[in-house]
Amino acid sequence: MTTEPQSWPFNSPPNVVCFTVRSIVDGEKPVLMASRDADDGGWQFLTGDAFQMAEAMLVTLESMVARDQTLLELAAMQPGWMAWREAPDAPWSRQAEAQQTEE
């Protein structure tokens, strides 16, 4: 008997590499900002704070969703867009990055 694989809502595969920071991976800080690169659709998950490149990490999209199920709400976000929230339990706000630089 075979079971159907669970539906993956992202148009990026589960094992696509994403950019994040150690404080998120270690569970010290939540994801409060997410973006998709306009050029290649790459995902970035950040705290919203400034960080040193020494803190940068590459992880899979699947591992980020395992850490924070609310990232599933961003599955339809298109390249060139970003999302942010005030707290882990707050709703996501979204905006095209081009709109942000024009304001």
Side-chain angles (χ1 to χ4, degrees):
M1 177 175 172
T2 61
T3 59
E4 289 293 316
Q6 186 177 17
S7 177
W8 181 249
F10 291 86
N11 64 3
S12 300
N15 65 345
V16 72
V17 174
C18 302
F19 181 89
T20 192
V21 291
R22 184 167 306 281
S23 58
I24 290 173
V25 172
D26 290 346
E28 296 168 7
K29 292 189 176 182
V31 176
L32 297 180
M33 190 176 90
S35 68
R36 287 201 71 190
D37 297 337
D39 58 348
D40 64 4
W43 288 92
Q44 297 184 33
F45 299 104
L46 302 168
T47 64
D49 298 332
F51 64 91
Q52 300 294 319
M53 282 306 292
E55 299 172 58
M57 297 186 76
L58 296 175
V59 298
T60 65
L61 180 55
E62 183 176 40
S63 71
M64 289 303 298
V65 171
R67 283 180 182 81
D68 184 345
Q69 294 284 304
T70 67
L71 298 180
L72 291 168
E73 298 170 22
L74 304 177
M77 194 165 75
Q78 296 298 308
W81 280 70
M82 64 181 300
W84 65 95
R85 59 187 175 180
E86 296 297 319
D89 57 349
W92 289 101
S93 297
R94 294 171 183 82
Q95 185 175 32
E97 289 182 14
Q99 291 174 341
Q100 184 183 26
T101 58
E102 292 171 5
E103 294 177 356

